[in-house]
Amino acid sequence: MKKAYLISKEYKAYLEAFGISSDELLDVVGIPKIMTNRGVYISKQQYIHLMKILERESTDNKILMYSDISKVTSFSPPIFAGLCAINGLECFKRISEYKKLIGPFTLKVHEEENNVVLEFTFDDEGKTKLPKFTQITENLIMVNLLRQGTGKKIKPVKIKASYEYPKKIKDYLGITPELSNQSKIYFSKEDLQVYFRTENNTMWDYLEPEFKKRMEEMQIDDSVSAKVRILLTKLIPAGNANIAQVSKEMAISPRSLQRKLSEENTTFVKQLNHTRELMAKNYLINDSVTTDEVAYLVGYSDVYVFMRAFRQWTGLTVKQFRTEHA
């Protein structure tokens, strides 16, 4: 089992707001466009690839907008939870605990005599270098958290980074980072003790159980069945959802694929129907998509055959399902 990281529908909309085509971006990275109500879980390598493409597509202004806390909170509950803390130090401790819900990161919080140091790495203890986009946006988000929470224009004491920052970013941070093989940002303890005007214990009591649940969900299915389903989400709308095409995409023979699926107590047909069911449910929640269109999108030329299949999968008619999820 591998760890997975959530790309939510809110995050897709967030990228679109900055003029970044999320569908094209996700397609390049190899992330399925078909999402559940919550979103889609992706691998660490997909996440890193996404950050590198964002860096290529972003201007300095877009990076500053991307790191704007008032907008980030719309798709990042851990950031919002940080703002609910009593002060900066408690804020960073909370984010450190739940940072992995945002991506394959660790945030270590070190207390020194006069300063608190935040160290950012990937979850492989620094073996993978953080992309420039990630380093800059993490610094900006931490600074913006303090400024939003306190209402004061707090500046870091020091920043260590492995890249040269653009002038516009340095001006915004109020400091020129030191070149280093580490990614660290230093704040004075005094600044981190300033009371947060956004403090909200009631909201935190509500959010914490949800975070714990999401942490458990991060273990992604790395089975052959899961890989087949991911490929099918792309192949079904294209009309190529057959074992020959899936085997070709996986670089194994159809016979070998069937054997591997059998070892997992399933078959290609079962995985095909399961994927069609998930896709159909996702489409049917959208009232603007007709049942005929849904049938076509999940590989059925006859809408009545699709409707019978849907009832076999779910025990509900299409109309009943849509009514329940209106």
mmCIF file with all atom_site columns, all heavy atoms in Angstrom, residues 14 18 64-75 79-80 83 141 144-145 148:
data_model
loop_
_atom_site.group_PDB
_atom_site.id
_atom_site.type_symbol
_atom_site.label_atom_id
_atom_site.label_alt_id
_atom_site.label_comp_id
_atom_site.label_asym_id
_atom_site.label_entity_id
_atom_site.label_seq_id
_atom_site.pdbx_PDB_ins_code
_atom_site.Cartn_x
_atom_site.Cartn_y
_atom_site.Cartn_z
_atom_site.occupancy
_atom_site.B_iso_or_equiv
_atom_site.pdbx_formal_charge
_atom_site.auth_seq_id
_atom_site.auth_comp_id
_atom_site.auth_asym_id
_atom_site.auth_atom_id
_atom_site.pdbx_PDB_model_num
ATOM 1   N N   . TYR A 1 14  ? -9.801  26.120 -8.225  1.00 0.00 ? 14  TYR A N   1
ATOM 2   C CA  . TYR A 1 14  ? -8.843  27.123 -7.761  1.00 0.00 ? 14  TYR A CA  1
ATOM 3   C C   . TYR A 1 14  ? -7.813  27.412 -8.855  1.00 0.00 ? 14  TYR A C   1
ATOM 4   O O   . TYR A 1 14  ? -7.481  28.569 -9.127  1.00 0.00 ? 14  TYR A O   1
ATOM 5   C CB  . TYR A 1 14  ? -8.173  26.589 -6.511  1.00 0.00 ? 14  TYR A CB  1
ATOM 6   C CG  . TYR A 1 14  ? -7.270  27.564 -5.798  1.00 0.00 ? 14  TYR A CG  1
ATOM 7   C CD1 . TYR A 1 14  ? -7.802  28.669 -5.151  1.00 0.00 ? 14  TYR A CD1 1
ATOM 8   C CD2 . TYR A 1 14  ? -5.903  27.357 -5.740  1.00 0.00 ? 14  TYR A CD2 1
ATOM 9   C CE1 . TYR A 1 14  ? -6.977  29.561 -4.481  1.00 0.00 ? 14  TYR A CE1 1
ATOM 10  C CE2 . TYR A 1 14  ? -5.071  28.238 -5.080  1.00 0.00 ? 14  TYR A CE2 1
ATOM 11  C CZ  . TYR A 1 14  ? -5.617  29.333 -4.444  1.00 0.00 ? 14  TYR A CZ  1
ATOM 12  O OH  . TYR A 1 14  ? -4.805  30.212 -3.786  1.00 0.00 ? 14  TYR A OH  1
ATOM 13  N N   . PHE A 1 18  ? -7.039  31.062 -11.764 1.00 0.00 ? 18  PHE A N   1
ATOM 14  C CA  . PHE A 1 18  ? -5.802  31.757 -12.115 1.00 0.00 ? 18  PHE A CA  1
ATOM 15  C C   . PHE A 1 18  ? -5.443  31.591 -13.587 1.00 0.00 ? 18  PHE A C   1
ATOM 16  O O   . PHE A 1 18  ? -4.317  31.834 -14.004 1.00 0.00 ? 18  PHE A O   1
ATOM 17  C CB  . PHE A 1 18  ? -4.640  31.260 -11.252 1.00 0.00 ? 18  PHE A CB  1
ATOM 18  C CG  . PHE A 1 18  ? -4.859  31.513 -9.789  1.00 0.00 ? 18  PHE A CG  1
ATOM 19  C CD1 . PHE A 1 18  ? -4.497  30.566 -8.859  1.00 0.00 ? 18  PHE A CD1 1
ATOM 20  C CD2 . PHE A 1 18  ? -5.433  32.684 -9.348  1.00 0.00 ? 18  PHE A CD2 1
ATOM 21  C CE1 . PHE A 1 18  ? -4.709  30.781 -7.496  1.00 0.00 ? 18  PHE A CE1 1
ATOM 22  C CE2 . PHE A 1 18  ? -5.649  32.922 -8.003  1.00 0.00 ? 18  PHE A CE2 1
ATOM 23  C CZ  . PHE A 1 18  ? -5.287  31.969 -7.081  1.00 0.00 ? 18  PHE A CZ  1
ATOM 24  N N   . LEU A 1 64  ? 1.906   34.558 -6.181  1.00 0.00 ? 64  LEU A N   1
ATOM 25  C CA  . LEU A 1 64  ? 1.405   35.333 -5.039  1.00 0.00 ? 64  LEU A CA  1
ATOM 26  C C   . LEU A 1 64  ? -0.088  35.089 -4.831  1.00 0.00 ? 64  LEU A C   1
ATOM 27  O O   . LEU A 1 64  ? -0.557  34.942 -3.703  1.00 0.00 ? 64  LEU A O   1
ATOM 28  C CB  . LEU A 1 64  ? 1.678   36.820 -5.245  1.00 0.00 ? 64  LEU A CB  1
ATOM 29  C CG  . LEU A 1 64  ? 3.149   37.246 -5.128  1.00 0.00 ? 64  LEU A CG  1
ATOM 30  C CD1 . LEU A 1 64  ? 3.344   38.676 -5.614  1.00 0.00 ? 64  LEU A CD1 1
ATOM 31  C CD2 . LEU A 1 64  ? 3.635   37.100 -3.687  1.00 0.00 ? 64  LEU A CD2 1
ATOM 32  N N   . MET A 1 65  ? -0.829  34.986 -5.920  1.00 0.00 ? 65  MET A N   1
ATOM 33  C CA  . MET A 1 65  ? -2.263  34.714 -5.821  1.00 0.00 ? 65  MET A CA  1
ATOM 34  C C   . MET A 1 65  ? -2.515  33.294 -5.325  1.00 0.00 ? 65  MET A C   1
ATOM 35  O O   . MET A 1 65  ? -3.399  33.047 -4.498  1.00 0.00 ? 65  MET A O   1
ATOM 36  C CB  . MET A 1 65  ? -2.932  34.929 -7.183  1.00 0.00 ? 65  MET A CB  1
ATOM 37  C CG  . MET A 1 65  ? -2.975  36.368 -7.643  1.00 0.00 ? 65  MET A CG  1
ATOM 38  S SD  . MET A 1 65  ? -3.550  36.530 -9.360  1.00 0.00 ? 65  MET A SD  1
ATOM 39  C CE  . MET A 1 65  ? -5.234  35.976 -9.199  1.00 0.00 ? 65  MET A CE  1
ATOM 40  N N   . TYR A 1 66  ? -1.717  32.358 -5.820  1.00 0.00 ? 66  TYR A N   1
ATOM 41  C CA  . TYR A 1 66  ? -1.839  30.953 -5.419  1.00 0.00 ? 66  TYR A CA  1
ATOM 42  C C   . TYR A 1 66  ? -1.649  30.802 -3.912  1.00 0.00 ? 66  TYR A C   1
ATOM 43  O O   . TYR A 1 66  ? -2.270  29.954 -3.275  1.00 0.00 ? 66  TYR A O   1
ATOM 44  C CB  . TYR A 1 66  ? -0.791  30.138 -6.167  1.00 0.00 ? 66  TYR A CB  1
ATOM 45  C CG  . TYR A 1 66  ? -0.773  28.648 -5.863  1.00 0.00 ? 66  TYR A CG  1
ATOM 46  C CD1 . TYR A 1 66  ? -1.470  27.752 -6.661  1.00 0.00 ? 66  TYR A CD1 1
ATOM 47  C CD2 . TYR A 1 66  ? -0.041  28.139 -4.794  1.00 0.00 ? 66  TYR A CD2 1
ATOM 48  C CE1 . TYR A 1 66  ? -1.451  26.391 -6.401  1.00 0.00 ? 66  TYR A CE1 1
ATOM 49  C CE2 . TYR A 1 66  ? -0.019  26.784 -4.518  1.00 0.00 ? 66  TYR A CE2 1
ATOM 50  C CZ  . TYR A 1 66  ? -0.716  25.911 -5.329  1.00 0.00 ? 66  TYR A CZ  1
ATOM 51  O OH  . TYR A 1 66  ? -0.704  24.566 -5.064  1.00 0.00 ? 66  TYR A OH  1
ATOM 52  N N   . SER A 1 67  ? -0.792  31.626 -3.338  1.00 0.00 ? 67  SER A N   1
ATOM 53  C CA  . SER A 1 67  ? -0.446  31.539 -1.918  1.00 0.00 ? 67  SER A CA  1
ATOM 54  C C   . SER A 1 67  ? -1.300  32.442 -1.043  1.00 0.00 ? 67  SER A C   1
ATOM 55  O O   . SER A 1 67  ? -1.033  32.567 0.157   1.00 0.00 ? 67  SER A O   1
ATOM 56  C CB  . SER A 1 67  ? 1.035   31.915 -1.727  1.00 0.00 ? 67  SER A CB  1
ATOM 57  O OG  . SER A 1 67  ? 1.857   31.163 -2.591  1.00 0.00 ? 67  SER A OG  1
ATOM 58  N N   . ASP A 1 68  ? -2.317  33.047 -1.627  1.00 0.00 ? 68  ASP A N   1
ATOM 59  C CA  . ASP A 1 68  ? -3.206  33.934 -0.872  1.00 0.00 ? 68  ASP A CA  1
ATOM 60  C C   . ASP A 1 68  ? -4.079  33.091 0.062   1.00 0.00 ? 68  ASP A C   1
ATOM 61  O O   . ASP A 1 68  ? -4.937  32.332 -0.386  1.00 0.00 ? 68  ASP A O   1
ATOM 62  C CB  . ASP A 1 68  ? -4.076  34.726 -1.856  1.00 0.00 ? 68  ASP A CB  1
ATOM 63  C CG  . ASP A 1 68  ? -4.975  35.740 -1.162  1.00 0.00 ? 68  ASP A CG  1
ATOM 64  O OD1 . ASP A 1 68  ? -5.150  35.652 0.065   1.00 0.00 ? 68  ASP A OD1 1
ATOM 65  O OD2 . ASP A 1 68  ? -5.516  36.619 -1.869  1.00 0.00 ? 68  ASP A OD2 1
ATOM 66  N N   . ILE A 1 69  ? -3.859  33.211 1.361   1.00 0.00 ? 69  ILE A N   1
ATOM 67  C CA  . ILE A 1 69  ? -4.551  32.385 2.355   1.00 0.00 ? 69  ILE A CA  1
ATOM 68  C C   . ILE A 1 69  ? -6.070  32.490 2.263   1.00 0.00 ? 69  ILE A C   1
ATOM 69  O O   . ILE A 1 69  ? -6.784  31.513 2.456   1.00 0.00 ? 69  ILE A O   1
ATOM 70  C CB  . ILE A 1 69  ? -4.095  32.774 3.778   1.00 0.00 ? 69  ILE A CB  1
ATOM 71  C CG1 . ILE A 1 69  ? -2.651  32.335 3.983   1.00 0.00 ? 69  ILE A CG1 1
ATOM 72  C CG2 . ILE A 1 69  ? -4.977  32.128 4.830   1.00 0.00 ? 69  ILE A CG2 1
ATOM 73  C CD1 . ILE A 1 69  ? -2.438  30.853 3.837   1.00 0.00 ? 69  ILE A CD1 1
ATOM 74  N N   . SER A 1 70  ? -6.579  33.668 1.935   1.00 0.00 ? 70  SER A N   1
ATOM 75  C CA  . SER A 1 70  ? -8.034  33.838 1.892   1.00 0.00 ? 70  SER A CA  1
ATOM 76  C C   . SER A 1 70  ? -8.660  32.965 0.821   1.00 0.00 ? 70  SER A C   1
ATOM 77  O O   . SER A 1 70  ? -9.840  32.629 0.884   1.00 0.00 ? 70  SER A O   1
ATOM 78  C CB  . SER A 1 70  ? -8.387  35.302 1.621   1.00 0.00 ? 70  SER A CB  1
ATOM 79  O OG  . SER A 1 70  ? -7.938  35.707 0.340   1.00 0.00 ? 70  SER A OG  1
ATOM 80  N N   . LYS A 1 71  ? -7.853  32.541 -0.173  1.00 0.00 ? 71  LYS A N   1
ATOM 81  C CA  . LYS A 1 71  ? -8.353  31.657 -1.228  1.00 0.00 ? 71  LYS A CA  1
ATOM 82  C C   . LYS A 1 71  ? -7.888  30.219 -1.012  1.00 0.00 ? 71  LYS A C   1
ATOM 83  O O   . LYS A 1 71  ? -8.605  29.269 -1.310  1.00 0.00 ? 71  LYS A O   1
ATOM 84  C CB  . LYS A 1 71  ? -7.891  32.157 -2.586  1.00 0.00 ? 71  LYS A CB  1
ATOM 85  C CG  . LYS A 1 71  ? -8.415  33.546 -2.931  1.00 0.00 ? 71  LYS A CG  1
ATOM 86  C CD  . LYS A 1 71  ? -7.946  33.995 -4.291  1.00 0.00 ? 71  LYS A CD  1
ATOM 87  C CE  . LYS A 1 71  ? -8.497  35.381 -4.636  1.00 0.00 ? 71  LYS A CE  1
ATOM 88  N NZ  . LYS A 1 71  ? -8.032  36.435 -3.747  1.00 0.00 ? 71  LYS A NZ  1
ATOM 89  N N   . VAL A 1 72  ? -6.680  30.050 -0.476  1.00 0.00 ? 72  VAL A N   1
ATOM 90  C CA  . VAL A 1 72  ? -6.146  28.704 -0.230  1.00 0.00 ? 72  VAL A CA  1
ATOM 91  C C   . VAL A 1 72  ? -7.052  27.907 0.688   1.00 0.00 ? 72  VAL A C   1
ATOM 92  O O   . VAL A 1 72  ? -7.259  26.716 0.501   1.00 0.00 ? 72  VAL A O   1
ATOM 93  C CB  . VAL A 1 72  ? -4.725  28.785 0.380   1.00 0.00 ? 72  VAL A CB  1
ATOM 94  C CG1 . VAL A 1 72  ? -4.262  27.416 0.860   1.00 0.00 ? 72  VAL A CG1 1
ATOM 95  C CG2 . VAL A 1 72  ? -3.737  29.310 -0.656  1.00 0.00 ? 72  VAL A CG2 1
ATOM 96  N N   . THR A 1 73  ? -7.633  28.570 1.696   1.00 0.00 ? 73  THR A N   1
ATOM 97  C CA  . THR A 1 73  ? -8.462  27.861 2.671   1.00 0.00 ? 73  THR A CA  1
ATOM 98  C C   . THR A 1 73  ? -9.665  27.199 2.032   1.00 0.00 ? 73  THR A C   1
ATOM 99  O O   . THR A 1 73  ? -10.220 26.253 2.583   1.00 0.00 ? 73  THR A O   1
ATOM 100 C CB  . THR A 1 73  ? -8.945  28.816 3.778   1.00 0.00 ? 73  THR A CB  1
ATOM 101 O OG1 . THR A 1 73  ? -9.585  29.945 3.168   1.00 0.00 ? 73  THR A OG1 1
ATOM 102 C CG2 . THR A 1 73  ? -7.794  29.278 4.643   1.00 0.00 ? 73  THR A CG2 1
ATOM 103 N N   . SER A 1 74  ? -10.071 27.663 0.838   1.00 0.00 ? 74  SER A N   1
ATOM 104 C CA  . SER A 1 74  ? -11.246 27.086 0.194   1.00 0.00 ? 74  SER A CA  1
ATOM 105 C C   . SER A 1 74  ? -11.007 25.649 -0.240  1.00 0.00 ? 74  SER A C   1
ATOM 106 O O   . SER A 1 74  ? -11.948 24.908 -0.449  1.00 0.00 ? 74  SER A O   1
ATOM 107 C CB  . SER A 1 74  ? -11.661 27.936 -1.009  1.00 0.00 ? 74  SER A CB  1
ATOM 108 O OG  . SER A 1 74  ? -10.678 27.875 -2.032  1.00 0.00 ? 74  SER A OG  1
ATOM 109 N N   . PHE A 1 75  ? -9.743  25.244 -0.426  1.00 0.00 ? 75  PHE A N   1
ATOM 110 C CA  . PHE A 1 75  ? -9.494  23.853 -0.811  1.00 0.00 ? 75  PHE A CA  1
ATOM 111 C C   . PHE A 1 75  ? -8.529  23.151 0.135   1.00 0.00 ? 75  PHE A C   1
ATOM 112 O O   . PHE A 1 75  ? -8.158  22.007 -0.076  1.00 0.00 ? 75  PHE A O   1
ATOM 113 C CB  . PHE A 1 75  ? -8.958  23.768 -2.255  1.00 0.00 ? 75  PHE A CB  1
ATOM 114 C CG  . PHE A 1 75  ? -7.560  24.317 -2.432  1.00 0.00 ? 75  PHE A CG  1
ATOM 115 C CD1 . PHE A 1 75  ? -6.453  23.554 -2.135  1.00 0.00 ? 75  PHE A CD1 1
ATOM 116 C CD2 . PHE A 1 75  ? -7.367  25.593 -2.908  1.00 0.00 ? 75  PHE A CD2 1
ATOM 117 C CE1 . PHE A 1 75  ? -5.177  24.056 -2.306  1.00 0.00 ? 75  PHE A CE1 1
ATOM 118 C CE2 . PHE A 1 75  ? -6.086  26.104 -3.083  1.00 0.00 ? 75  PHE A CE2 1
ATOM 119 C CZ  . PHE A 1 75  ? -4.996  25.328 -2.775  1.00 0.00 ? 75  PHE A CZ  1
ATOM 120 N N   . ILE A 1 79  ? -4.948  24.174 6.351   1.00 0.00 ? 79  ILE A N   1
ATOM 121 C CA  . ILE A 1 79  ? -4.580  25.585 6.440   1.00 0.00 ? 79  ILE A CA  1
ATOM 122 C C   . ILE A 1 79  ? -5.644  26.346 7.224   1.00 0.00 ? 79  ILE A C   1
ATOM 123 O O   . ILE A 1 79  ? -5.349  27.175 8.090   1.00 0.00 ? 79  ILE A O   1
ATOM 124 C CB  . ILE A 1 79  ? -4.417  26.201 5.033   1.00 0.00 ? 79  ILE A CB  1
ATOM 125 C CG1 . ILE A 1 79  ? -3.268  25.520 4.278   1.00 0.00 ? 79  ILE A CG1 1
ATOM 126 C CG2 . ILE A 1 79  ? -4.186  27.697 5.120   1.00 0.00 ? 79  ILE A CG2 1
ATOM 127 C CD1 . ILE A 1 79  ? -1.903  25.753 4.860   1.00 0.00 ? 79  ILE A CD1 1
ATOM 128 N N   . PHE A 1 80  ? -6.901  26.043 6.945   1.00 0.00 ? 80  PHE A N   1
ATOM 129 C CA  . PHE A 1 80  ? -7.990  26.683 7.669   1.00 0.00 ? 80  PHE A CA  1
ATOM 130 C C   . PHE A 1 80  ? -7.911  26.350 9.156   1.00 0.00 ? 80  PHE A C   1
ATOM 131 O O   . PHE A 1 80  ? -8.124  27.206 10.018  1.00 0.00 ? 80  PHE A O   1
ATOM 132 C CB  . PHE A 1 80  ? -9.336  26.229 7.100   1.00 0.00 ? 80  PHE A CB  1
ATOM 133 C CG  . PHE A 1 80  ? -10.518 26.893 7.745   1.00 0.00 ? 80  PHE A CG  1
ATOM 134 C CD1 . PHE A 1 80  ? -10.836 28.200 7.459   1.00 0.00 ? 80  PHE A CD1 1
ATOM 135 C CD2 . PHE A 1 80  ? -11.309 26.206 8.642   1.00 0.00 ? 80  PHE A CD2 1
ATOM 136 C CE1 . PHE A 1 80  ? -11.922 28.827 8.054   1.00 0.00 ? 80  PHE A CE1 1
ATOM 137 C CE2 . PHE A 1 80  ? -12.400 26.811 9.246   1.00 0.00 ? 80  PHE A CE2 1
ATOM 138 C CZ  . PHE A 1 80  ? -12.709 28.124 8.944   1.00 0.00 ? 80  PHE A CZ  1
ATOM 139 N N   . LEU A 1 83  ? -5.475  28.475 10.984  1.00 0.00 ? 83  LEU A N   1
ATOM 140 C CA  . LEU A 1 83  ? -5.988  29.803 11.309  1.00 0.00 ? 83  LEU A CA  1
ATOM 141 C C   . LEU A 1 83  ? -6.904  29.782 12.525  1.00 0.00 ? 83  LEU A C   1
ATOM 142 O O   . LEU A 1 83  ? -7.103  30.812 13.171  1.00 0.00 ? 83  LEU A O   1
ATOM 143 C CB  . LEU A 1 83  ? -6.750  30.382 10.106  1.00 0.00 ? 83  LEU A CB  1
ATOM 144 C CG  . LEU A 1 83  ? -5.891  30.871 8.940   1.00 0.00 ? 83  LEU A CG  1
ATOM 145 C CD1 . LEU A 1 83  ? -6.772  31.274 7.765   1.00 0.00 ? 83  LEU A CD1 1
ATOM 146 C CD2 . LEU A 1 83  ? -5.002  32.043 9.364   1.00 0.00 ? 83  LEU A CD2 1
ATOM 147 N N   . ILE A 1 141 ? 2.917   30.891 2.024   1.00 0.00 ? 141 ILE A N   1
ATOM 148 C CA  . ILE A 1 141 ? 1.735   30.473 2.785   1.00 0.00 ? 141 ILE A CA  1
ATOM 149 C C   . ILE A 1 141 ? 1.980   30.614 4.279   1.00 0.00 ? 141 ILE A C   1
ATOM 150 O O   . ILE A 1 141 ? 1.110   31.069 5.032   1.00 0.00 ? 141 ILE A O   1
ATOM 151 C CB  . ILE A 1 141 ? 1.337   29.031 2.407   1.00 0.00 ? 141 ILE A CB  1
ATOM 152 C CG1 . ILE A 1 141 ? 0.723   29.023 1.000   1.00 0.00 ? 141 ILE A CG1 1
ATOM 153 C CG2 . ILE A 1 141 ? 0.338   28.458 3.414   1.00 0.00 ? 141 ILE A CG2 1
ATOM 154 C CD1 . ILE A 1 141 ? 0.466   27.636 0.444   1.00 0.00 ? 141 ILE A CD1 1
ATOM 155 N N   . ASN A 1 144 ? 1.830   34.266 5.097   1.00 0.00 ? 144 ASN A N   1
ATOM 156 C CA  . ASN A 1 144 ? 0.457   34.749 4.987   1.00 0.00 ? 144 ASN A CA  1
ATOM 157 C C   . ASN A 1 144 ? -0.422  34.242 6.125   1.00 0.00 ? 144 ASN A C   1
ATOM 158 O O   . ASN A 1 144 ? -1.361  34.933 6.542   1.00 0.00 ? 144 ASN A O   1
ATOM 159 C CB  . ASN A 1 144 ? -0.142  34.349 3.641   1.00 0.00 ? 144 ASN A CB  1
ATOM 160 C CG  . ASN A 1 144 ? 0.365   35.222 2.503   1.00 0.00 ? 144 ASN A CG  1
ATOM 161 O OD1 . ASN A 1 144 ? 0.760   36.359 2.736   1.00 0.00 ? 144 ASN A OD1 1
ATOM 162 N ND2 . ASN A 1 144 ? 0.362   34.697 1.296   1.00 0.00 ? 144 ASN A ND2 1
ATOM 163 N N   . LEU A 1 145 ? -0.145  33.039 6.608   1.00 0.00 ? 145 LEU A N   1
ATOM 164 C CA  . LEU A 1 145 ? -0.882  32.528 7.765   1.00 0.00 ? 145 LEU A CA  1
ATOM 165 C C   . LEU A 1 145 ? -0.728  33.461 8.960   1.00 0.00 ? 145 LEU A C   1
ATOM 166 O O   . LEU A 1 145 ? -1.705  33.801 9.634   1.00 0.00 ? 145 LEU A O   1
ATOM 167 C CB  . LEU A 1 145 ? -0.388  31.124 8.127   1.00 0.00 ? 145 LEU A CB  1
ATOM 168 C CG  . LEU A 1 145 ? -1.020  29.946 7.397   1.00 0.00 ? 145 LEU A CG  1
ATOM 169 C CD1 . LEU A 1 145 ? -0.201  28.679 7.607   1.00 0.00 ? 145 LEU A CD1 1
ATOM 170 C CD2 . LEU A 1 145 ? -2.447  29.728 7.883   1.00 0.00 ? 145 LEU A CD2 1
ATOM 171 N N   . GLN A 1 148 ? -2.457  36.876 8.193   1.00 0.00 ? 148 GLN A N   1
ATOM 172 C CA  . GLN A 1 148 ? -3.917  36.762 8.235   1.00 0.00 ? 148 GLN A CA  1
ATOM 173 C C   . GLN A 1 148 ? -4.402  36.555 9.663   1.00 0.00 ? 148 GLN A C   1
ATOM 174 O O   . GLN A 1 148 ? -5.385  37.157 10.093  1.00 0.00 ? 148 GLN A O   1
ATOM 175 C CB  . GLN A 1 148 ? -4.359  35.577 7.362   1.00 0.00 ? 148 GLN A CB  1
ATOM 176 C CG  . GLN A 1 148 ? -5.858  35.331 7.307   1.00 0.00 ? 148 GLN A CG  1
ATOM 177 C CD  . GLN A 1 148 ? -6.546  36.178 6.264   1.00 0.00 ? 148 GLN A CD  1
ATOM 178 O OE1 . GLN A 1 148 ? -5.918  36.984 5.595   1.00 0.00 ? 148 GLN A OE1 1
ATOM 179 N NE2 . GLN A 1 148 ? -7.846  36.007 6.134   1.00 0.00 ? 148 GLN A NE2 1
#
